[in-house]
Amino acid sequence: MATLKRCAPETVQAQPVVEVVLALGSNYQADKYLPLARQRLAALGEVRLSTAFQNPDFTATLEQPKPDYTNQCVHLALTTPVSLQQLQQTFRALEGDCNRCRQTEPNQVRQVTMDIDILMIKLANIENSLSKKSTSKLMPNWIVMANRYPFKAHEEAGVRELAASIN
């Protein structure tokens, strides 16, 4: 993973993306919202899924326990190239469709119905400084979103699992 090219999302906002690796997470009614999110993502292109993992909330403490998350990585090969900015808007709207509530009262346990994070992107084949060949043998031509790296353990496991089916 360390050999993958990293890039700040804001530097590629307008670039056309053809494939994306996402991290999905839910700590509230995951059995309802993960299938809904996967169904909506499938409408955008071909979907491959990693194993779903149940993980404790890393911000939980003994004084403030929090519900576990169900996490899953998704590889989405888009039917039509879309800018990263458009993808971010689409995923935020999908979170809203899953009743995501971003506002919480202080000291209230946050119920996250759906969280969608972009881990990696593959740009359309256009010649620019970002489309140069990657040295990674794991997932050549992929760009890691620098704000998401290093990946959490479940994200890295999901990306590795998907990499085996992508290449």
Side-chain angles (χ1 to χ4, degrees):
M1 295 283 176
T3 60
L4 289 171
K5 187 182 312 185
R6 287 185 282 284
C7 187
E10 53 274 9
T11 64
V12 289
Q13 287 292 303
Q15 298 289 331
V17 175
V18 293
E19 297 179 56
V20 62
V21 174
L22 307 170
L24 305 182
S26 175
N27 73 355
Y28 181 74
Q29 296 185 354
D31 55 334
K32 174 181 178 179
Y33 292 111
L34 280 170
L36 176 60
R38 292 188 297 249
Q39 177 187 5
R40 296 283 177 87
L41 291 170
L44 301 174
E46 183 182 339
V47 170
R48 288 188 179 95
L49 305 171
S50 75
T51 303
F53 297 98
Q54 191 162 4
N55 301 297
D57 185 324
F58 70 92
T59 66
T61 63
L62 289 176
E63 299 78 32
Q64 191 172 21
K66 297 180 182 179
D68 290 348
Y69 272 85
T70 302
N71 299 103
Q72 186 170 40
C73 287
V74 176
H75 169 254
L76 173 60
L78 296 160
T79 304
T80 305
V82 179
S83 75
L84 179 59
Q85 184 175 28
Q86 290 171 305
L87 277 178
Q88 290 167 324
Q89 291 169 351
T90 298
F91 298 149
R92 192 166 175 104
L94 200 158
E95 289 173 340
D97 292 346
C98 290
N99 300 314
R100 168 92 187 249
C101 180
R102 294 182 183 277
Q103 305 297 337
T104 59
E105 299 295 322
N107 299 324
Q108 180 184 5
V109 174
R110 202 172 72 159
Q111 293 180 332
V112 179
T113 57
M114 181 51 52
D115 182 47
I116 304 173
D117 293 311
I118 300 173
L119 300 179
M120 303 169 62
I121 60 171
K122 190 173 189 180
L123 299 176
N125 288 331
I126 51 176
E127 289 301 317
N128 62 34
S129 62
L130 295 170
S131 62
K132 291 179 183 167
K133 277 277 193 198
S134 168
T135 59
S136 172
K137 292 179 181 158
L138 180 66
M139 295 179 79
N141 301 320
W142 283 84
I143 298 170
V144 173
M145 297 293 92
N147 63 330
R148 296 295 308 168
Y149 195 81
F151 296 145
K152 295 173 184 161
H154 62 270
E155 293 170 341
E156 180 148 352
V159 169
R160 288 188 180 280
E161 184 180 338
L162 288 173
S165 67
I166 294 171
N167 295 334

PDB file of all heavy atoms in Angstrom, residues 72-96:
ATOM      1  N   GLN A  72     -17.507  -2.154   5.449  1.00  0.00           N
ATOM      2  CA  GLN A  72     -17.295  -2.929   4.237  1.00  0.00           C
ATOM      3  C   GLN A  72     -16.671  -2.029   3.182  1.00  0.00           C
ATOM      4  O   GLN A  72     -17.029  -0.854   3.074  1.00  0.00           O
ATOM      5  CB  GLN A  72     -18.630  -3.483   3.728  1.00  0.00           C
ATOM      6  CG  GLN A  72     -18.501  -4.422   2.553  1.00  0.00           C
ATOM      7  CD  GLN A  72     -19.819  -5.113   2.248  1.00  0.00           C
ATOM      8  OE1 GLN A  72     -20.879  -4.508   2.317  1.00  0.00           O
ATOM      9  NE2 GLN A  72     -19.748  -6.390   1.920  1.00  0.00           N
ATOM     10  N   CYS A  73     -15.743  -2.579   2.414  1.00  0.00           N
ATOM     11  CA  CYS A  73     -15.170  -1.842   1.285  1.00  0.00           C
ATOM     12  C   CYS A  73     -15.891  -2.247   0.005  1.00  0.00           C
ATOM     13  O   CYS A  73     -16.340  -3.386  -0.142  1.00  0.00           O
ATOM     14  CB  CYS A  73     -13.671  -2.108   1.164  1.00  0.00           C
ATOM     15  SG  CYS A  73     -12.712  -1.297   2.457  1.00  0.00           S
ATOM     16  N   VAL A  74     -15.995  -1.295  -0.906  1.00  0.00           N
ATOM     17  CA  VAL A  74     -16.705  -1.496  -2.168  1.00  0.00           C
ATOM     18  C   VAL A  74     -15.826  -0.981  -3.299  1.00  0.00           C
ATOM     19  O   VAL A  74     -15.307   0.131  -3.228  1.00  0.00           O
ATOM     20  CB  VAL A  74     -18.048  -0.722  -2.183  1.00  0.00           C
ATOM     21  CG1 VAL A  74     -18.735  -0.860  -3.537  1.00  0.00           C
ATOM     22  CG2 VAL A  74     -18.958  -1.178  -1.064  1.00  0.00           C
ATOM     23  N   HIS A  75     -15.680  -1.809  -4.333  1.00  0.00           N
ATOM     24  CA  HIS A  75     -15.054  -1.353  -5.578  1.00  0.00           C
ATOM     25  C   HIS A  75     -16.199  -1.066  -6.543  1.00  0.00           C
ATOM     26  O   HIS A  75     -17.065  -1.917  -6.776  1.00  0.00           O
ATOM     27  CB  HIS A  75     -14.134  -2.437  -6.160  1.00  0.00           C
ATOM     28  CG  HIS A  75     -13.693  -2.111  -7.555  1.00  0.00           C
ATOM     29  ND1 HIS A  75     -14.201  -2.775  -8.662  1.00  0.00           N
ATOM     30  CD2 HIS A  75     -12.831  -1.196  -8.038  1.00  0.00           C
ATOM     31  CE1 HIS A  75     -13.640  -2.278  -9.756  1.00  0.00           C
ATOM     32  NE2 HIS A  75     -12.820  -1.319  -9.405  1.00  0.00           N
ATOM     33  N   LEU A  76     -16.222   0.151  -7.072  1.00  0.00           N
ATOM     34  CA  LEU A  76     -17.269   0.567  -7.994  1.00  0.00           C
ATOM     35  C   LEU A  76     -16.625   0.998  -9.301  1.00  0.00           C
ATOM     36  O   LEU A  76     -15.869   1.972  -9.335  1.00  0.00           O
ATOM     37  CB  LEU A  76     -18.075   1.727  -7.379  1.00  0.00           C
ATOM     38  CG  LEU A  76     -19.112   2.417  -8.258  1.00  0.00           C
ATOM     39  CD1 LEU A  76     -20.181   1.444  -8.740  1.00  0.00           C
ATOM     40  CD2 LEU A  76     -19.740   3.587  -7.489  1.00  0.00           C
ATOM     41  N   ALA A  77     -16.897   0.230 -10.373  1.00  0.00           N
ATOM     42  CA  ALA A  77     -16.475   0.608 -11.723  1.00  0.00           C
ATOM     43  C   ALA A  77     -17.653   1.365 -12.333  1.00  0.00           C
ATOM     44  O   ALA A  77     -18.700   0.780 -12.627  1.00  0.00           O
ATOM     45  CB  ALA A  77     -16.122  -0.630 -12.542  1.00  0.00           C
ATOM     46  N   LEU A  78     -17.484   2.661 -12.470  1.00  0.00           N
ATOM     47  CA  LEU A  78     -18.580   3.529 -12.910  1.00  0.00           C
ATOM     48  C   LEU A  78     -18.963   3.274 -14.362  1.00  0.00           C
ATOM     49  O   LEU A  78     -18.093   3.076 -15.220  1.00  0.00           O
ATOM     50  CB  LEU A  78     -18.185   4.990 -12.724  1.00  0.00           C
ATOM     51  CG  LEU A  78     -17.967   5.404 -11.269  1.00  0.00           C
ATOM     52  CD1 LEU A  78     -17.135   6.667 -11.190  1.00  0.00           C
ATOM     53  CD2 LEU A  78     -19.297   5.580 -10.570  1.00  0.00           C
ATOM     54  N   THR A  79     -20.245   3.305 -14.645  1.00  0.00           N
ATOM     55  CA  THR A  79     -20.743   3.165 -16.007  1.00  0.00           C
ATOM     56  C   THR A  79     -20.299   4.354 -16.850  1.00  0.00           C
ATOM     57  O   THR A  79     -19.925   4.202 -18.011  1.00  0.00           O
ATOM     58  CB  THR A  79     -22.285   3.064 -16.007  1.00  0.00           C
ATOM     59  OG1 THR A  79     -22.667   1.975 -15.172  1.00  0.00           O
ATOM     60  CG2 THR A  79     -22.828   2.860 -17.403  1.00  0.00           C
ATOM     61  N   THR A  80     -20.320   5.540 -16.243  1.00  0.00           N
ATOM     62  CA  THR A  80     -19.933   6.780 -16.906  1.00  0.00           C
ATOM     63  C   THR A  80     -18.934   7.514 -16.022  1.00  0.00           C
ATOM     64  O   THR A  80     -19.174   7.643 -14.819  1.00  0.00           O
ATOM     65  CB  THR A  80     -21.174   7.678 -17.116  1.00  0.00           C
ATOM     66  OG1 THR A  80     -22.166   6.934 -17.821  1.00  0.00           O
ATOM     67  CG2 THR A  80     -20.832   8.932 -17.875  1.00  0.00           C
ATOM     68  N   PRO A  81     -17.809   7.998 -16.589  1.00  0.00           N
ATOM     69  CA  PRO A  81     -16.872   8.775 -15.768  1.00  0.00           C
ATOM     70  C   PRO A  81     -17.563   9.984 -15.144  1.00  0.00           C
ATOM     71  O   PRO A  81     -18.396  10.628 -15.773  1.00  0.00           O
ATOM     72  CB  PRO A  81     -15.793   9.217 -16.763  1.00  0.00           C
ATOM     73  CG  PRO A  81     -15.874   8.228 -17.878  1.00  0.00           C
ATOM     74  CD  PRO A  81     -17.327   7.849 -17.971  1.00  0.00           C
ATOM     75  N   VAL A  82     -17.201  10.252 -13.896  1.00  0.00           N
ATOM     76  CA  VAL A  82     -17.793  11.343 -13.132  1.00  0.00           C
ATOM     77  C   VAL A  82     -16.666  12.048 -12.391  1.00  0.00           C
ATOM     78  O   VAL A  82     -15.721  11.396 -11.941  1.00  0.00           O
ATOM     79  CB  VAL A  82     -18.828  10.789 -12.123  1.00  0.00           C
ATOM     80  CG1 VAL A  82     -19.444  11.888 -11.287  1.00  0.00           C
ATOM     81  CG2 VAL A  82     -19.913  10.008 -12.825  1.00  0.00           C
ATOM     82  N   SER A  83     -16.771  13.362 -12.238  1.00  0.00           N
ATOM     83  CA  SER A  83     -15.738  14.072 -11.488  1.00  0.00           C
ATOM     84  C   SER A  83     -15.771  13.647 -10.023  1.00  0.00           C
ATOM     85  O   SER A  83     -16.813  13.233  -9.505  1.00  0.00           O
ATOM     86  CB  SER A  83     -15.927  15.589 -11.597  1.00  0.00           C
ATOM     87  OG  SER A  83     -17.007  16.010 -10.790  1.00  0.00           O
ATOM     88  N   LEU A  84     -14.636  13.759  -9.374  1.00  0.00           N
ATOM     89  CA  LEU A  84     -14.555  13.420  -7.957  1.00  0.00           C
ATOM     90  C   LEU A  84     -15.538  14.274  -7.166  1.00  0.00           C
ATOM     91  O   LEU A  84     -16.225  13.779  -6.263  1.00  0.00           O
ATOM     92  CB  LEU A  84     -13.125  13.610  -7.435  1.00  0.00           C
ATOM     93  CG  LEU A  84     -12.915  13.314  -5.960  1.00  0.00           C
ATOM     94  CD1 LEU A  84     -13.289  11.878  -5.614  1.00  0.00           C
ATOM     95  CD2 LEU A  84     -11.477  13.602  -5.568  1.00  0.00           C
ATOM     96  N   GLN A  85     -15.644  15.543  -7.512  1.00  0.00           N
ATOM     97  CA  GLN A  85     -16.570  16.432  -6.809  1.00  0.00           C
ATOM     98  C   GLN A  85     -18.013  15.935  -6.941  1.00  0.00           C
ATOM     99  O   GLN A  85     -18.763  15.910  -5.963  1.00  0.00           O
ATOM    100  CB  GLN A  85     -16.447  17.850  -7.357  1.00  0.00           C
ATOM    101  CG  GLN A  85     -17.294  18.858  -6.618  1.00  0.00           C
ATOM    102  CD  GLN A  85     -17.059  20.274  -7.105  1.00  0.00           C
ATOM    103  OE1 GLN A  85     -16.700  20.495  -8.262  1.00  0.00           O
ATOM    104  NE2 GLN A  85     -17.250  21.237  -6.234  1.00  0.00           N
ATOM    105  N   GLN A  86     -18.402  15.497  -8.140  1.00  0.00           N
ATOM    106  CA  GLN A  86     -19.747  14.972  -8.343  1.00  0.00           C
ATOM    107  C   GLN A  86     -19.959  13.688  -7.542  1.00  0.00           C
ATOM    108  O   GLN A  86     -21.023  13.474  -6.970  1.00  0.00           O
ATOM    109  CB  GLN A  86     -20.006  14.705  -9.828  1.00  0.00           C
ATOM    110  CG  GLN A  86     -20.133  15.964 -10.655  1.00  0.00           C
ATOM    111  CD  GLN A  86     -20.174  15.651 -12.139  1.00  0.00           C
ATOM    112  OE1 GLN A  86     -19.277  14.999 -12.674  1.00  0.00           O
ATOM    113  NE2 GLN A  86     -21.204  16.120 -12.803  1.00  0.00           N
ATOM    114  N   LEU A  87     -18.924  12.839  -7.501  1.00  0.00           N
ATOM    115  CA  LEU A  87     -19.020  11.610  -6.709  1.00  0.00           C
ATOM    116  C   LEU A  87     -19.233  11.925  -5.239  1.00  0.00           C
ATOM    117  O   LEU A  87     -20.073  11.308  -4.574  1.00  0.00           O
ATOM    118  CB  LEU A  87     -17.755  10.762  -6.865  1.00  0.00           C
ATOM    119  CG  LEU A  87     -17.666   9.872  -8.080  1.00  0.00           C
ATOM    120  CD1 LEU A  87     -16.323   9.145  -8.100  1.00  0.00           C
ATOM    121  CD2 LEU A  87     -18.807   8.866  -8.109  1.00  0.00           C
ATOM    122  N   GLN A  88     -18.477  12.877  -4.714  1.00  0.00           N
ATOM    123  CA  GLN A  88     -18.616  13.249  -3.312  1.00  0.00           C
ATOM    124  C   GLN A  88     -20.039  13.729  -3.026  1.00  0.00           C
ATOM    125  O   GLN A  88     -20.627  13.366  -2.008  1.00  0.00           O
ATOM    126  CB  GLN A  88     -17.588  14.327  -2.947  1.00  0.00           C
ATOM    127  CG  GLN A  88     -16.170  13.803  -2.916  1.00  0.00           C
ATOM    128  CD  GLN A  88     -15.122  14.904  -2.859  1.00  0.00           C
ATOM    129  OE1 GLN A  88     -15.282  15.965  -3.454  1.00  0.00           O
ATOM    130  NE2 GLN A  88     -14.031  14.646  -2.153  1.00  0.00           N
ATOM    131  N   GLN A  89     -20.604  14.514  -3.929  1.00  0.00           N
ATOM    132  CA  GLN A  89     -21.979  14.993  -3.763  1.00  0.00           C
ATOM    133  C   GLN A  89     -22.975  13.836  -3.831  1.00  0.00           C
ATOM    134  O   GLN A  89     -23.928  13.775  -3.049  1.00  0.00           O
ATOM    135  CB  GLN A  89     -22.301  16.048  -4.821  1.00  0.00           C
ATOM    136  CG  GLN A  89     -21.551  17.338  -4.636  1.00  0.00           C
ATOM    137  CD  GLN A  89     -21.675  18.284  -5.827  1.00  0.00           C
ATOM    138  OE1 GLN A  89     -22.190  17.927  -6.888  1.00  0.00           O
ATOM    139  NE2 GLN A  89     -21.193  19.505  -5.656  1.00  0.00           N
ATOM    140  N   THR A  90     -22.760  12.922  -4.756  1.00  0.00           N
ATOM    141  CA  THR A  90     -23.637  11.758  -4.897  1.00  0.00           C
ATOM    142  C   THR A  90     -23.616  10.915  -3.628  1.00  0.00           C
ATOM    143  O   THR A  90     -24.670  10.482  -3.134  1.00  0.00           O
ATOM    144  CB  THR A  90     -23.198  10.903  -6.108  1.00  0.00           C
ATOM    145  OG1 THR A  90     -23.326  11.697  -7.294  1.00  0.00           O
ATOM    146  CG2 THR A  90     -24.027   9.637  -6.236  1.00  0.00           C
ATOM    147  N   PHE A  91     -22.416  10.696  -3.075  1.00  0.00           N
ATOM    148  CA  PHE A  91     -22.309   9.850  -1.881  1.00  0.00           C
ATOM    149  C   PHE A  91     -22.896  10.549  -0.656  1.00  0.00           C
ATOM    150  O   PHE A  91     -23.497   9.911   0.204  1.00  0.00           O
ATOM    151  CB  PHE A  91     -20.865   9.418  -1.640  1.00  0.00           C
ATOM    152  CG  PHE A  91     -20.299   8.590  -2.778  1.00  0.00           C
ATOM    153  CD1 PHE A  91     -18.956   8.645  -3.078  1.00  0.00           C
ATOM    154  CD2 PHE A  91     -21.108   7.778  -3.558  1.00  0.00           C
ATOM    155  CE1 PHE A  91     -18.425   7.886  -4.113  1.00  0.00           C
ATOM    156  CE2 PHE A  91     -20.599   7.018  -4.609  1.00  0.00           C
ATOM    157  CZ  PHE A  91     -19.256   7.076  -4.888  1.00  0.00           C
ATOM    158  N   ARG A  92     -22.753  11.846  -0.584  1.00  0.00           N
ATOM    159  CA  ARG A  92     -23.353  12.594   0.537  1.00  0.00           C
ATOM    160  C   ARG A  92     -24.888  12.522   0.443  1.00  0.00           C
ATOM    161  O   ARG A  92     -25.577  12.360   1.452  1.00  0.00           O
ATOM    162  CB  ARG A  92     -22.870  14.034   0.531  1.00  0.00           C
ATOM    163  CG  ARG A  92     -23.226  14.762   1.811  1.00  0.00           C
ATOM    164  CD  ARG A  92     -22.456  16.062   1.913  1.00  0.00           C
ATOM    165  NE  ARG A  92     -22.870  16.799   3.062  1.00  0.00           N
ATOM    166  CZ  ARG A  92     -22.175  16.904   4.189  1.00  0.00           C
ATOM    167  NH1 ARG A  92     -21.014  16.315   4.299  1.00  0.00           N
ATOM    168  NH2 ARG A  92     -22.631  17.601   5.196  1.00  0.00           N
ATOM    169  N   ALA A  93     -25.422  12.620  -0.767  1.00  0.00           N
ATOM    170  CA  ALA A  93     -26.867  12.487  -0.957  1.00  0.00           C
ATOM    171  C   ALA A  93     -27.326  11.077  -0.604  1.00  0.00           C
ATOM    172  O   ALA A  93     -28.389  10.900   0.008  1.00  0.00           O
ATOM    173  CB  ALA A  93     -27.244  12.825  -2.406  1.00  0.00           C
ATOM    174  N   LEU A  94     -26.538  10.079  -0.957  1.00  0.00           N
ATOM    175  CA  LEU A  94     -26.879   8.694  -0.613  1.00  0.00           C
ATOM    176  C   LEU A  94     -26.900   8.513   0.909  1.00  0.00           C
ATOM    177  O   LEU A  94     -27.789   7.845   1.435  1.00  0.00           O
ATOM    178  CB  LEU A  94     -25.873   7.737  -1.259  1.00  0.00           C
ATOM    179  CG  LEU A  94     -26.315   6.298  -1.422  1.00  0.00           C
ATOM    180  CD1 LEU A  94     -25.500   5.623  -2.502  1.00  0.00           C
ATOM    181  CD2 LEU A  94     -26.253   5.512  -0.159  1.00  0.00           C
ATOM    182  N   GLU A  95     -25.939   9.125   1.610  1.00  0.00           N
ATOM    183  CA  GLU A  95     -25.949   9.081   3.074  1.00  0.00           C
ATOM    184  C   GLU A  95     -27.253   9.692   3.600  1.00  0.00           C
ATOM    185  O   GLU A  95     -27.870   9.152   4.519  1.00  0.00           O
ATOM    186  CB  GLU A  95     -24.752   9.850   3.655  1.00  0.00           C
ATOM    187  CG  GLU A  95     -23.421   9.184   3.442  1.00  0.00           C
ATOM    188  CD  GLU A  95     -22.244  10.046   3.872  1.00  0.00           C
ATOM    189  OE1 GLU A  95     -22.398  11.293   3.982  1.00  0.00           O
ATOM    190  OE2 GLU A  95     -21.168   9.481   4.085  1.00  0.00           O
ATOM    191  N   GLY A  96     -27.680  10.792   2.990  1.00  0.00           N
ATOM    192  CA  GLY A  96     -28.943  11.423   3.375  1.00  0.00           C
ATOM    193  C   GLY A  96     -30.140  10.531   3.103  1.00  0.00           C
ATOM    194  O   GLY A  96     -31.073  10.461   3.908  1.00  0.00           O
TER     195      GLY A  96
END
